Amino acid sequence: MQKFWLIFEPVLSALVVENLDNYIADYLPPFLDSIRLSTFTLGTKPFRIESVKTYSNTDPDIVSMDWRISFIPNDLDDLSEEELDSKVNPKVIMNVRVGKGRVGAGFPVLVENMAFSGHLRLKIKFMGRFPFVKLAEMSFLEKPQFDYVLKPLGTDSFGFDVNVIPGLQSFIRDQVHNILGPMMYAPNVFTVDVDRFFVGDFDLSAANGVLAVTVYSTDHIKHSEDLVDGAPNPYVRFYLDHGQELDRTSICQNTFTPNWNETRYLKLNNLNSLLSMELKTSRPGLKDRRLGTANFDLSQLDGETHAEQEGLNLLILRNGKHVSDLRVDVRYLPLSKPTKRNDGTIEPAIESNSGVARVIIHECRDLVSTNNTVSAYVRIIVNGVEKKKTTTMKKKLNPKFEEPYEIVVLDKTAFFLRAEVRDSADGDKLLGVFTSYLVDIARQQETNNNWWDLTNDDQKVGQLRLSVQWKPMVMTGLSDYISGHGFDKPPIGAIRFTFWEARDLRNVEMVTNGKSDPYVRVLSGHQIRARTEVIDNNLNPEWGETVYVPVHSLKENFILEAMDWNAKTRDKSLGITEFKASDIIQQQIGNQSVNPDVWYEPKNGKLDRWERLRSVDRHSSKGSLHYSAEFFPIMALPHLEANNNPTTTASSTDLSNKNSSLSSISAISSTNIESEIPSLPLRGLHGAYIRYTPDDLVDLGSYNSGVLKIKIHEVQLSSPAYCYCQVIVDSLMPLYKTAKLRGDNLQFDECADAFIKEVDFSRIAIEIKPAHSDEKDIHKLGHWIDSGSAIIRRIMKHKRLGLDDSDDEGIWFNLMGTDGPARIRLSFTYDPMVNFVLNPDESLDNQGVLTVNLVSARNLMAADKTGTSDPYVVFNVNGERVYKSETIRKTLNPKWHNERFTVPIQSRVTASIRIEVFDWNHVKGHEPIGSGGITLRGDGVESFKVRNVDIPLDGVAGVSGSVQVQFTWHPQLLVNKKNQTSVLGATRTYVHNDVNLEASGPLPRLSTSSQYSIARSSTESTRSHVPDSRQSLESTHQSNFDDTASLAPSSIVDVRALSEATGRSGVVSITLLEARGLRGVDKSGSEPFLFDFKVKDHNKIKSSVDLGQSRVNIWDLIKVDAPGGELFNQWLPLFPPGSGELRVEIKYKSTM
């Protein structure tokens, strides 16, 4: 210990002198202005370990011990004569300043004759390389005992011990405990990173990473009436381990439900601390009061797979009482540093415009002043905001400061620094100024040895030595275009990413003797916007898959991340690369002098790239990704001009948004005077003709592709839950997740957007999921589904009412699959694409299930001596055998009955279907008698319709004949074990029956009664001040959910999708036979009861739950003019998709 102490004590003492001043600043009593350590040494005699207790039940690389230690430097009995001769006594000298400003005074304070004892727990974590100790954690199990002599105005030979003053010693002791307690009194620990210490990187004042904390809002603040009168003025204050403040949010005035939506960048030295977020209320003229505190353990962010925690709902507590919940996202961004490769070469730090600038104010020289002496200090001002003020060096013309300051810089090219040197002895008179951009300082500081000229009125008045160290950082995953309200900015278009392949990916399954299961995802901010399929067990995967992602600005960046899929654990990152939207998008500006048109065009056409994949912390790279990207803009309209009245604005047809969002277009009132109607443009800013409806609205329904924005206003549940919403559009995985909220009335107010490939086929779903579940968990609290075409109709109806999008408070929809009544309030906007043509292999109609019905064959080749054959047919899809038919004996014209099968088709454009006809033989091998093929491209099949196909045979000498089959194509999203979570991943996903769950009136809450009813009258307006004309456009049918009521028009299936077929007078008998594929909603299984074509889950205690509904026109099933058409016995699909099927038998008897 003696040898180690001689090395460690000088370093420890210097560390205390450098950092303790700032740390204790927050704990000073009001009568003290400041305390500065001028001398601190613990002497040459080390502390003594009195006893050691070791714990054996720890991890193999951790040693945990309890030490009883003492530090009595004045005990000389155990020192040798040589140690006595070289002994240095402990000594602490502080400069204490009492009072404030000009009325204050400073004096030195000497602390000596120190003694100390305590019970310390030490935990050491080892590693396999020098210095072999990685971390050392220390904490006192009980408050330590200490003694000292305190001499104000004292030196080694003068002064008196003021501890004799009654009460002073206990006061000082309590202050020391208050300072040390949060640092290292159990359960708090003080961590020393020994590994970093030995590599010279142990500066507690230096940032090694940045914590990006996005603060959104809180729930209603409770228990504040005893602290503040009325509503508080809340803000959030950030600090580590109850120490010095790091930053704070702005103040929300006079509210119980503050919304900040602000991101603060906090400099961190390590992740071994507790981040405290203190909710306080501002009281002008009075001391601010604490409303509560939320804590977050930063060690949860350790490791590249845990560096991001989004959607956190942290409990705010005060004195053990729950005050509110704080919604935050946290993300740790490590700084990049040069690393040493295995071959000894140095890999430089990454290049980035984002990082931490460490500004060090060293000294001044040759200051010019009218006074003989100068008491100088330096102010550092960044982009107009004061960031640092040094201490004042009194009566020195060449003051030395040596004070560092670090600041997070998002864009170093926009970092403008102003350094002012002022004289505090002359009324803070300005002595000189130095100004420069950060990039210029970094470029020139090597040539001038960090000396910069100070000027005042263009005259040189001295020099300032100031240096800047740049520590780069990549702001991975942070986006200015996703706020606390989601993607609420209008889109400018969509980017089509095609991921072709990857090579030499990192193998994270090596331990299990496997290989990674890679897929690629696209991130904007923390939202996963799209992802590819998973390729099993492959380090060189090939996808050839295309995804579309909306883009909102030239400055928006996307992260393309290769991931390894895991069934039960969190997916692991295989590497990332960044894609900048500005690489393929260019902005165009019109020639108007005022409010010019703005639109966006593709730049450089289609990009095709191979990019190296780097780890999340950018310290290493492994593998590469091949992808292409192409930009497609949304339609942009020029600003409208009135025909005659130059003062007419675009209030009736709002096109003033510079992003030219068509979602803002509203109807032109028919009561407008003709001279005041603006002339509608024939072409958009991209040159394409605009399609209008007869009432002069842009015909959104005629544009099959575009960007749909969905605003989730709120969700009302029958019982409180902790949950979030996820949006799914034409896929099996979510493309947007909201924040997690608690309660039964959840105010989300978040916007999601998605690219719609084909409005006619698109399906949009929103799932309400428990907070603990992810996309791999099938558990849901409820869901809503609707078609793209139905949503477009609602948007057009909204515009015909003359309402602006800012006035849209949304429509209420009932939720399906819930335990009790529930509903969701949504609103929509749609921006169509211009000059966009969807590739056939990207169509939603391209993937699905093919039903094949083998009917017959004609004129087959005779293979037996009797002149006949025993034929059977084998079906192959893409080279894989999928079905074998029954054998029909001794015939050349066989007919099959009930030979039907279904096969999933990933891409019907590229699918190859081939049939092989064999002659069955009992003794010798089966003999081929012909084969044929067919493609599903083009009109080979038609969705939802039976297509009769005659397949001629060839491939064998003497072959003849053909095979007749029936194809029925059902487009749908194909489910596999790695994506079976979406409600869209079910059969008949794209049927044309729209799901319409509009609701009105208040939501009934569950009671002890076993039944409830939701009485639905004419749909109410969502806004009380909307004119009555809107009422007439709403649905007027009523739907009653009472268990004993007769079935009203469907609230699940849109009756407008039914045909208008008619029949004859007669009696129809309906027999409900059975049901299959129903959803389970309780642990004991479903106990369905049936009423007409509506299936419900019966509960004796609580309300029954809708399982599904099928609504048909009876004359679509009964064909009275066709032979046998009076009987129908088939399975009917239940809606919404995924709800199962219901088998019914319908008999018709004429009464005429």
Side-chain angles (χ1 to χ4, degrees):
M1 181 60 69
Q2 180 69 38
K3 295 180 179 179
F4 174 75
W5 186 253
L6 293 177
I7 300 173
F8 181 69
E9 189 277 335
V11 177
L12 178 62
S13 297
L15 186 67
V16 171
V17 170
E18 183 176 353
N19 294 282
L20 190 61
D21 290 347
N22 291 332
Y23 188 80
I24 65 177
D26 287 348
Y27 295 91
L28 294 179
F31 59 85
L32 291 182
D33 182 45
S34 64
I35 293 180
R36 303 292 180 188
L37 279 175
S38 59
T39 302
F40 184 92
T41 179
L42 295 177
T44 55
K45 183 178 180 181
F47 63 90
R48 179 184 180 89
I49 303 175
E50 304 290 349
S51 64
V52 177
K53 177 182 178 181
T54 304
Y55 294 91
S56 58
N57 56 343
T58 60
D59 294 336
D61 59 343
I62 292 179
V63 173
S64 181
M65 299 174 286
D66 287 352
W67 289 1
R68 289 199 176 271
I69 59 174
S70 63
F71 180 64
I72 311 176
N74 291 334
D75 184 3
L76 309 179
D77 294 341
D78 55 349
L79 297 181
S80 64
E81 293 184 2
E82 182 179 354
E83 292 172 339
L84 287 172
D85 292 338
S86 59
K87 180 178 182 295
V88 176
N89 292 322
K91 186 177 182 181
V92 178
I93 299 179
M94 298 179 291
N95 291 317
V96 178
R97 184 174 180 82
V98 179
K100 302 290 184 179
R102 296 182 179 272
V103 299
F107 58 90
V109 175
L110 173 67
V111 181
E112 59 182 3
N113 296 334
M114 293 177 287
F116 172 86
S117 65
H119 190 192
L120 181 71
R121 174 161 292 174
L122 178 66
K123 184 181 292 186
I124 302 174
K125 183 179 179 64
F126 291 92
M127 60 183 180
R129 56 179 175 81
F130 183 82
F132 304 110
V133 175
K134 180 173 178 59
L135 293 175
E137 295 181 351
M138 295 167 283
S139 65
F140 284 104
L141 300 180
E142 55 192 38
K143 292 182 178 180
Q145 303 296 320
F146 54 89
D147 195 11
Y148 56 91
V149 172
L150 182 63
K151 296 181 179 180
L153 305 174
T155 63
D156 292 337
S157 58
F158 176 77
F160 62 94
D161 185 4
V162 297
N163 281 328
V164 298
I165 300 176
L168 181 60
Q169 185 175 20
S170 61
F171 170 77
I172 295 176
R173 182 178 61 249
D174 292 342
Q175 289 297 313
V176 173
H177 288 320
N178 289 337
I179 295 174
L180 293 180
M183 290 178 58
M184 54 189 313
Y185 288 3
N188 302 314
V189 296
F190 179 74
T191 302
V192 178
D193 195 328
V194 181
D195 186 22
R196 284 172 45 206
F197 170 77
F198 273 87
V199 298
D201 190 22
F202 194 70
D203 183 1
L204 288 180
S205 67
N208 292 296
V210 172
L211 185 71
V213 183
T214 302
V215 184
Y216 296 121
S217 61
T218 71
D219 293 340
H220 186 86
I221 298 174
K222 300 176 290 187
H223 308 302
S224 64
E225 56 276 359
D226 56 337
L227 299 176
V228 61
D229 295 331
N233 303 316
Y235 66 91
V236 178
R237 171 179 174 265
F238 305 95
Y239 54 88
L240 295 178
D241 293 330
H242 308 283
Q244 189 176 15
E245 179 180 313
L246 301 177
D247 206 343
R248 62 175 61 185
T249 66
S250 60
I251 299 173
C252 293
Q253 298 291 338
N254 196 34
T255 178
F256 286 101
T257 56
N259 286 273
W260 292 282
N261 298 318
E262 299 174 2
T263 299
R264 291 291 181 264
Y265 298 95
L266 313 179
K267 302 180 294 291
L268 296 183
N269 181 266
N270 56 68
L271 292 175
N272 301 314
S273 302
L274 185 71
L275 175 66
S276 296
M277 288 162 274
E278 187 177 57
L279 182 65
K280 302 190 75 172
T281 178
S282 174
R283 302 194 303 162
L286 300 172
K287 186 176 181 180
D288 296 349
R289 284 188 170 176
R290 183 177 74 92
L291 300 176
T293 304
N295 295 314
F296 179 78
D297 187 358
L298 295 179
S299 62
Q300 299 180 42
L301 302 175
D302 197 9
E304 64 180 44
T305 59
H306 302 90
E308 176 184 352
Q309 301 277 344
E310 72 271 5
L312 295 176
N313 269 52
L314 303 178
L315 293 176
I316 301 177
L317 302 175
R318 186 182 76 250
N319 300 329
K321 292 183 179 180
H322 178 231
V323 174
S324 185
D325 286 349
L326 181 65
R327 293 174 53 197
V328 297
D329 294 340
V330 294
R331 186 180 182 88
Y332 180 65
L333 306 168
L335 300 181
S336 177
K337 299 178 181 179
T339 56
K340 188 175 183 179
R341 301 188 182 99
N342 294 332
D343 59 1
T345 59
I346 302 297
E347 181 179 358
I350 61 172
E351 295 183 2
S352 173
N353 275 343
S354 303
V356 172
R358 183 177 176 86
V359 181
I360 305 176
I361 304 105
H362 297 282
E363 57 183 316
C364 295
R365 69 183 179 189
D366 303 332
L367 294 178
V368 177
S369 175
T370 56
N371 299 328
N372 293 329
T373 59
V374 174
S375 297
Y377 67 90
V378 180
R379 292 177 67 220
I380 299 297
I381 302 171
V382 176
N383 295 339
V385 179
E386 180 179 317
K387 296 294 184 181
K388 171 70 176 176
K389 183 178 179 181
T390 68
T391 55
T392 301
M393 295 298 164
K394 298 191 180 226
K395 300 181 180 180
K396 293 181 180 180
L397 291 175
N398 299 298
K400 297 183 183 294
F401 302 97
E402 298 298 336
E403 294 189 24
Y405 177 74
E406 293 188 332
I407 181 173
V408 179
V409 181
L410 301 183
D411 184 3
K412 68 178 181 181
T413 61
F415 184 99
F416 184 76
L417 182 142
R418 175 184 173 93
E420 297 180 352
V421 181
R422 293 181 175 269
D423 184 5
S424 64
D426 192 10
D428 293 329
K429 178 182 177 182
L430 180 66
L431 299 179
V433 176
F434 162 70
T435 60
S436 178
Y437 280 94
L438 177 63
V439 290
D440 296 330
I441 296 176
R443 185 176 61 253
Q444 300 175 17
Q445 64 182 357
E446 295 297 331
T447 60
N448 59 10
N449 294 323
N450 303 318
W451 284 103
W452 311 95
D453 291 339
L454 294 170
T455 60
N456 192 356
D457 294 332
D458 297 329
Q459 299 293 322
K460 181 179 177 180
V461 292
Q463 286 187 310
L464 169 68
R465 188 158 74 93
L466 178 145
S467 62
V468 174
Q469 300 173 8
W470 177 248
K471 294 184 277 189
M473 164 188 67
V474 174
M475 312 295 280
T476 303
L478 293 180
S479 175
D480 295 333
Y481 306 100
I482 172 171
S483 66
H485 298 291
F487 294 96
D488 51 0
K489 296 189 177 181
I492 62 175
I495 297 178
R496 175 165 64 190
F497 289 103
T498 302
F499 297 101
W500 299 106
E501 59 179 319
R503 294 178 184 169
D504 194 27
L505 293 177
R506 187 156 61 103
N507 189 6
V508 295
E509 305 291 343
M510 190 178 300
V511 177
T512 58
N513 295 322
K515 295 180 180 179
S516 300
D517 302 323
Y519 66 91
V520 179
R521 65 181 188 178
V522 182
L523 295 98
S524 178
H526 62 264
Q527 293 287 351
I528 302 173
R529 304 294 282 146
R531 55 167 286 181
T532 67
E533 294 292 330
V534 179
I535 305 295
D536 290 331
N537 205 36
N538 198 327
L539 300 181
N540 298 284
E542 296 181 1
W543 291 283
E545 191 170 341
T546 299
V547 298
Y548 291 82
V549 180
V551 61
H552 308 83
S553 169
L554 284 174
K555 296 182 180 180
E556 188 168 6
N557 295 339
F558 298 95
I559 297 300
L560 313 181
E561 185 172 23
M563 300 289 294
D564 170 61
W565 185 87
N566 292 282
K568 297 182 180 180
T569 60
R570 189 170 181 173
D571 295 351
K572 299 177 182 178
S573 176
L574 302 179
I576 64 175
T577 184
E578 189 170 5
F579 180 83
K580 297 180 179 179
S582 57
D583 291 345
I584 59 171
I585 306 174
Q586 60 184 352
Q587 186 183 65
Q588 304 290 335
I589 301 178
N591 58 5
Q592 299 97 323
S593 59
V594 178
N595 196 19
D597 294 323
V598 177
W599 70 100
Y600 297 86
E601 298 278 4
K603 180 175 68 174
N604 302 326
K606 183 177 181 181
L607 293 185
D608 191 275
R609 290 178 174 176
W610 276 99
E611 292 285 355
R612 190 74 175 164
L613 294 174
R614 302 180 68 91
S615 60
V616 175
D617 58 9
R618 282 1 190 241
H619 287 169
S620 61
S621 61
K622 175 70 172 175
S624 53
L625 176 67
H626 181 203
Y627 70 92
S628 60
E630 190 174 4
F631 173 68
F632 296 94
I634 64 169
M635 178 184 292
L637 300 185
H639 294 154
L640 299 183
E641 298 180 359
N643 288 336
N644 299 321
N645 191 348
T647 63
T648 302
T649 64
S651 59
S652 58
T653 306
D654 185 6
L655 297 173
S656 61
N657 189 306
K658 288 198 174 186
N659 288 333
S660 301
S661 172
L662 294 184
S663 59
S664 61
I665 300 175
S666 58
I668 300 175
S669 174
S670 60
T671 60
N672 286 348
I673 302 175
E674 184 178 355
S675 62
E676 295 180 350
I677 299 179
S679 58
L680 296 175
L682 296 178
R683 294 174 181 261
L685 294 173
H686 297 93
Y689 284 102
I690 305 170
R691 305 166 195 165
Y692 291 100
T693 61
D695 52 350
D696 292 333
L697 291 175
V698 175
D699 189 4
L700 300 180
S702 66
Y703 294 92
N704 210 28
S705 301
V707 177
L708 177 69
K709 184 166 78 172
I710 307 165
K711 183 170 184 179
I712 305 173
H713 295 270
E714 63 179 308
V715 172
Q716 292 182 355
L717 303 174
S718 57
S719 58
Y722 183 31
C723 59
Y724 66 94
C725 297
Q726 65 180 23
V727 180
I728 306 168
V729 177
D730 298 330
S731 65
L732 298 172
M733 300 300 290
L735 51 79
Y736 183 84
K737 294 181 180 179
T738 68
K740 299 173 182 177
L741 298 181
R742 289 185 177 91
D744 55 4
N745 194 349
L746 309 174
Q747 301 284 340
F748 288 103
D749 288 327
E750 295 192 32
C751 296
D753 58 10
F755 179 76
I756 302 297
K757 292 181 181 180
E758 297 169 288
V759 167
D760 293 338
F761 285 105
S762 287
R763 306 288 285 179
I764 296 89
I766 297 177
E767 296 178 340
I768 292 84
K769 299 187 63 106
H772 60 79
S773 66
D774 57 16
E775 64 270 8
K776 298 175 185 176
D777 192 341
I778 64 174
H779 186 207
K780 307 173 186 67
L781 300 180
H783 65 269
W784 167 88
I785 306 177
D786 210 340
S787 67
S789 57
I791 292 175
I792 298 301
R793 289 196 297 268
R794 291 192 186 95
I795 296 174
M796 294 299 294
K797 178 191 297 185
H798 179 81
K799 295 189 178 304
R800 287 189 171 93
L801 295 174
L803 300 177
D804 188 74
D805 292 330
S806 60
D807 300 326
D808 190 358
E809 296 184 359
I811 302 174
W812 283 104
F813 297 90
N814 292 325
L815 290 173
M816 293 293 297
T818 57
D819 188 6
R823 61 181 187 170
I824 186 171
R825 183 158 61 92
L826 305 171
S827 60
F828 311 92
T829 58
Y830 181 68
D831 294 291
M833 307 297 291
V834 61
N835 300 328
F836 176 79
V837 178
L838 187 70
N839 293 334
D841 57 348
E842 298 175 14
S843 171
L844 298 174
D845 192 45
N846 187 48
Q847 187 180 93
V849 172
L850 180 68
T851 300
V852 181
N853 183 20
L854 176 60
V855 179
S856 61
R858 292 196 297 262
N859 303 322
L860 295 179
M861 184 177 72
D864 297 338
K865 295 180 181 180
T866 59
T868 61
S869 295
D870 303 322
Y872 68 89
V873 181
V874 173
F875 289 83
N876 298 274
V877 176
N878 295 331
E880 181 180 355
R881 181 172 175 173
V882 296
Y883 188 78
K884 174 182 174 295
S885 74
E886 294 291 331
T887 302
I888 306 297
R889 298 298 183 90
K890 300 190 181 301
T891 180
L892 299 180
N893 298 284
K895 293 184 179 181
W896 286 272
H897 302 281
N898 298 322
E899 289 287 350
R900 177 180 296 184
F901 68 94
T902 59
V903 59
I905 303 294
Q906 288 287 345
S907 172
R908 72 180 182 93
V909 173
T910 60
S912 172
I913 298 180
R914 190 155 189 86
I915 64 170
E916 297 176 303
V917 184
F918 291 89
D919 173 61
W920 181 87
N921 289 288
H922 181 69
V923 178
K924 60 181 181 179
H926 302 177
E927 181 181 352
I929 57 176
S931 63
I934 189 174
T935 179
L936 300 180
R937 274 181 172 272
D939 58 358
V941 294
E942 186 176 355
S943 299
F944 312 111
K945 293 187 178 180
V946 177
R947 176 64 61 93
N948 294 311
V949 180
D950 186 83
I951 305 175
L953 300 178
D954 55 19
V956 178
V959 67
S960 64
S962 61
V963 176
Q964 293 74 47
V965 297
Q966 291 179 338
F967 288 153
T968 307
W969 176 247
H970 296 276
Q972 72 176 66
L973 299 173
L974 298 181
V975 176
N976 60 49
K977 65 178 181 179
K978 297 183 179 180
N979 59 18
Q980 190 173 1
T981 61
S982 167
V983 292
L984 298 185
T987 57
R988 297 175 179 85
T989 300
Y990 300 117
V991 292
H992 295 287
N993 300 80
D994 296 340
V995 179
N996 180 5
L997 290 164
E998 293 190 26
S1000 64
L1003 181 75
R1005 301 295 182 185
L1006 286 177
S1007 63
T1008 56
S1009 172
S1010 62
Q1011 296 181 347
Y1012 69 90
S1013 63
I1014 303 177
R1016 295 181 60 193
S1017 58
S1018 298
T1019 305
E1020 298 177 0
S1021 169
T1022 57
R1023 302 185 322 121
S1024 59
H1025 62 277
V1026 175
D1028 291 340
S1029 60
R1030 179 174 180 176
Q1031 302 287 345
S1032 62
L1033 293 173
E1034 301 288 351
S1035 172
T1036 57
H1037 66 263
Q1038 297 185 1
S1039 177
N1040 193 297
F1041 277 38
D1042 195 297
D1043 293 344
T1044 60
S1046 60
L1047 183 68
S1050 170
S1051 65
I1052 299 179
V1053 182
D1054 191 350
V1055 296
R1056 291 170 297 183
L1058 302 178
S1059 72
E1060 298 181 357
T1062 59
R1064 302 174 183 172
S1065 300
V1067 177
V1068 173
S1069 300
I1070 300 176
T1071 304
L1072 302 179
L1073 300 176
E1074 55 182 319
R1076 68 184 180 188
L1078 298 180
R1079 297 177 291 112
V1081 295
D1082 52 44
K1083 295 182 179 179
S1084 61
S1086 296
E1087 185 181 340
F1089 70 88
L1090 308 177
F1091 185 82
D1092 208 338
F1093 292 110
K1094 187 172 187 178
V1095 186
K1096 303 186 102 180
D1097 175 68
H1098 174 68
N1099 291 282
K1100 295 182 179 179
I1101 299 177
K1102 55 187 178 181
S1103 303
S1104 301
V1105 178
D1106 293 331
L1107 296 180
Q1109 183 171 339
S1110 182
R1111 194 161 185 80
V1112 297
N1113 185 333
I1114 209 72
W1115 302 112
D1116 288 334
L1117 308 179
I1118 299 296
K1119 306 297 182 183
V1120 294
D1121 295 328
E1126 67 277 359
L1127 177 64
F1128 177 85
N1129 188 329
Q1130 287 188 21
W1131 289 94
L1132 296 178
L1134 295 176
F1135 294 92
S1139 300
E1141 297 175 292
L1142 176 69
R1143 187 181 176 191
V1144 299
E1145 180 180 278
I1146 303 176
K1147 295 181 180 180
Y1148 168 79
K1149 181 179 180 181
S1150 176
T1151 57
M1152 295 179 63

